[in-house]
Amino acid sequence: MFLKGNIGLGRFDKGNINNEDWLADRELSYINNASRQRNGRFTYFTADLGYDFLRGANYKVGGFIGWTYYEQSSDSIG
């Protein structure tokens, strides 16, 4: 039996967001908004659980199941 996993946490407080929009049926057909990015963070977690159901002197055969979680968020100012 085996269990493997990873955990990660991070922040990003600097950066710019360039949001471009094209509108087909309005007078103003192109909009470009530049914003600063603040309070950004991300989190991830992975886990694998498995079992070797066939074993020999030179081999192992098994299966595993895994789970992954990822979250990212940030605030835009401007």
Side-chain angles (χ1 to χ4, degrees), residues 50-65:
Y51 181 72
D52 297 328
F53 52 85
L54 293 176
R55 294 183 196 108
N58 296 323
Y59 68 90
K60 290 181 183 178
V61 177
F64 68 93
I65 189 167

Side-chain angles (χ1 to χ4, degrees), residues 35-77:
S35 304
R36 292 179 301 170
Q37 184 173 298
R38 299 278 187 234
N39 300 325
R41 61 190 171 277
F42 64 92
T43 305
Y44 66 88
F45 172 78
T46 62
D48 296 322
L49 177 65
Y51 181 72
D52 297 328
F53 52 85
L54 293 176
R55 294 183 196 108
N58 296 323
Y59 68 90
K60 290 181 183 178
V61 177
F64 68 93
I65 189 167
W67 182 69
T68 300
Y69 170 81
Y70 181 77
E71 179 185 0
Q72 177 178 333
S73 65
S74 65
D75 295 333
S76 297
I77 301 169

